[in-house]
């Protein structure tokens, strides 16, 4: 088995590649939205080109600011006018967002007064449906990120980073929702699973482990020691039946912090939001983890490609903001049905 690429090797290789092979001008990173309370997360572009992203309103931040608790929001932004409006509020404290092949919006609703479920919104009627509300009779920990394969199956991660609710599942895991509505726990050895992405050839499921060592962001006093776990990007073999088997760790970020979310371009390269405080930004990797390019940002959370004329536009959520940048690669999207 190949040894995972170390952080030092990663940085050396990242500095030696030609950024314009993937990003024509990294300095052209453009901030296009900056109006949330705490954190932007997971940008997803609809078939009509509208840009949707989550606004996660940590309740402890509201309390510290002595203001009414905001209930989480999903924003909708027009990329041409840059006008942003609230699409849904409360959002169920949504984090991950993804459009399926029919153009409906799937949302991973987290904890901290959130839904702790996965929902699908019919974009024609506005009605939302719960497609995963519990597993083995118990609520999920805190659904985080989503990917969808070309058979219509939904994959989602279920860690716990914050929230006052009980932790009801015995493991932080990745689940699969089949088209018949059945739910299956398919990965239990990924660490504190976060970002998930199915490769364009449908043969690999990439899973991030970002183990910050606690389940209560904001609930511990400052400078409280916590032993961090795996900070890594894993590749799993994805079988025809939707089962997944660990193949290898393709990037090991320890001792620095690892990624949050990720997406693929049409060629199968990975565009990964890496929260390494010594060099935060979007890292581009080949399918086997070779560094290809780098975009410097503030601490990022996630990424998503545009569609149509904007298929080479990469949207980035980071801090309280939404950014975009032009790339030389088209993003991978599910074939429309």
């Amino acid at each position: 088995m190949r040894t995972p690429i170390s952080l030092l090797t990663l940085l050396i290789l990242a500095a030696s590649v030609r950024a314009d092979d993937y990003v024509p001008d990294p300095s052209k990173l453009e901030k296009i939205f900056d109006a949330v309370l705490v954190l932007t997360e997971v940008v997803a572009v609809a078939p009509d080109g509208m840009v949707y992203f989550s606004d996660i309103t940590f309740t402890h931040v509201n309390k510290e600011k002595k203001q009414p608790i905001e209930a989480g929001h999903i924003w909708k932004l027009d990329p041409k006018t840059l006008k942003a409006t609230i699409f849904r509020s409360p959002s169920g404290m949504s984090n991950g967002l993804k459009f399926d092949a029919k153009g409906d919006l799937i949302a991973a609703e987290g904890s901290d007064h959130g839904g702790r479920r996965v929902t699908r919104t019919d974009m024609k009627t506005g009605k939302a449906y719960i497609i995963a509300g519990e597993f083995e009779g118990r609520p999920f920990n805190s659904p985080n990120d989503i990917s969808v394969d070309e058979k219509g199956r939904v994959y989602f991660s279920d860690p716990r980073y914050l929230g006052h609710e009980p932790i009801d599942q015995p493991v932080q895991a990745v689940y699969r929702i089949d088209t018949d509505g059945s739910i299956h726990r398919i990965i239990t050895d990924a660490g504190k699973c976060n970002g998930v992405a199915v490769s364009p050839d449908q043969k690999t499921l990439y899973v991030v482990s970002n183990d910050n060592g606690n389940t209560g962001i904001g609930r511990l006093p400052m400078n409280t020691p916590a032993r961090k776990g795996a900070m890594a990007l894993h590749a799993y073999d994805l079988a025809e039946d939707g089962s997944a088997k660990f193949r290898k760790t393709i990037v090991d970020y320890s001792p620095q912090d690892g990624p949050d979310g990720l997406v693929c371009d049409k060629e199968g390269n990975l565009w990964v939001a890496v929260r390494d405080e010594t060099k935060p930004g979007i890292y581009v990797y080949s399918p086997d983890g070779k560094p290809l390019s780098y975009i410097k940002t503030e601490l990022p959370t996630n990424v998503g490609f545009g569609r149509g004329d904007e298929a080479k536009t990469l949207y980035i959520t980071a801090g309280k903001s939404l950014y975009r940048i032009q790339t030389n690669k088209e993003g991978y999207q599910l074939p429309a049905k």
Side-chain angles (χ1 to χ4, degrees):
M1 180 179 294
R2 290 182 57 187
T3 302
I5 296 175
S6 70
L7 179 63
L8 178 60
T9 303
L10 170 79
L11 296 179
I12 292 173
L13 290 174
S16 66
V17 299
R18 293 174 54 204
D20 61 353
D21 290 343
Y22 297 87
V23 182
D25 188 350
S27 69
K28 295 294 185 180
L29 184 67
E30 177 188 11
K31 182 185 290 189
I32 58 175
F33 180 87
D34 187 22
V36 307
L37 178 67
V38 183
L39 188 69
T40 56
E41 258 280 14
V42 186
V43 58
V45 178
D48 64 1
M50 295 295 104
V51 180
Y52 294 75
F53 57 97
S54 289
D55 176 357
I56 303 181
T57 55
F58 295 176
T59 60
H60 68 272
V61 174
N62 291 262
K63 293 174 182 177
E64 290 167 1
K65 292 179 179 292
K66 297 181 180 180
Q67 60 189 42
I69 295 175
E70 294 190 26
H73 322 295
I74 298 175
W75 288 85
K76 173 183 175 181
L77 180 139
D78 185 327
K80 293 182 171 60
T81 65
L82 299 187
K83 180 181 179 181
T85 56
I86 293 291
F87 167 72
R88 191 171 86 193
S89 182
S91 67
M93 292 299 181
S94 71
N95 189 328
L97 302 174
K98 192 71 67 176
F99 284 92
D100 64 17
K102 295 181 180 179
D104 292 333
L105 180 63
I106 302 173
E109 300 182 7
S111 53
D112 194 31
H113 294 286
R116 298 172 67 190
R117 62 193 180 186
V118 179
T119 58
R120 176 184 280 114
T121 299
D122 186 321
M123 297 300 284
K124 294 180 180 178
T125 67
K127 290 183 178 179
Y129 301 86
I130 299 170
I131 59 175
E134 59 183 28
F135 186 75
E136 295 180 341
R138 293 180 177 274
F140 292 104
N141 297 325
S142 185
N144 185 287
D145 199 20
I146 293 170
S147 192
V148 185
D149 70 17
E150 293 183 3
K151 293 184 178 181
R153 297 175 296 203
V154 177
Y155 303 81
F156 69 95
S157 57
D158 185 45
R160 170 64 71 83
Y161 287 98
L162 79 163
H164 64 281
E165 298 90 343
I167 296 177
D168 290 288
Q169 293 298 331
V171 66
Q172 299 179 102
V174 176
Y175 296 82
R176 186 187 74 240
I177 309 170
D178 287 347
T179 55
D180 63 3
S182 60
I183 304 169
H184 309 268
R185 183 189 286 147
I186 63 169
I187 294 175
T188 58
D189 59 354
K192 192 166 187 174
C193 48
N194 194 309
V196 292
V198 175
S199 64
D201 66 5
Q202 308 296 289
K203 294 181 179 180
T204 302
L205 178 60
Y206 296 101
V207 182
V208 163
S209 174
N210 189 309
D211 189 346
N212 62 340
N214 70 82
T215 59
I217 292 175
R219 291 173 57 189
L220 295 174
M222 293 293 291
N223 301 318
T224 300
R227 184 178 294 277
K228 294 182 180 180
M231 296 289 185
L233 176 55
H234 305 302
Y236 285 76
D237 290 320
L238 189 60
E240 282 286 331
D241 64 1
S243 60
K245 183 179 180 181
F246 178 76
R247 182 196 308 157
K248 63 180 178 179
T249 297
I250 61 173
V251 186
D252 186 353
Y253 299 85
S254 298
Q256 303 301 328
D257 285 356
D260 193 328
L262 73 163
V263 292
C264 296
D265 63 27
K266 278 189 173 182
E267 297 175 6
N269 301 309
L270 305 173
W271 298 68
V272 185
V274 177
R275 296 179 62 80
D276 173 3
E277 292 187 357
T278 68
K279 192 176 181 182
I282 309 306
Y283 288 69
V284 187
Y285 305 107
S286 68
D288 64 356
K290 177 184 177 182
L292 302 172
S293 190
Y294 169 73
I295 305 166
K296 182 180 180 180
T297 70
E298 62 175 311
L299 280 177
T301 55
N302 224 303
V303 286
F305 278 100
R307 296 177 186 253
D309 294 340
E310 293 201 327
K312 294 183 179 180
T313 300
L314 185 73
Y315 291 93
I316 301 166
T317 51
K320 299 181 181 181
S321 306
L322 176 68
Y323 297 85
R324 68 182 173 188
I325 191 170
Q326 298 305 308
T327 77
N328 288 328
K329 302 297 180 181
E330 288 190 21
Y332 166 71
Q333 305 286 357
L334 288 172
K337 287 187 178 180

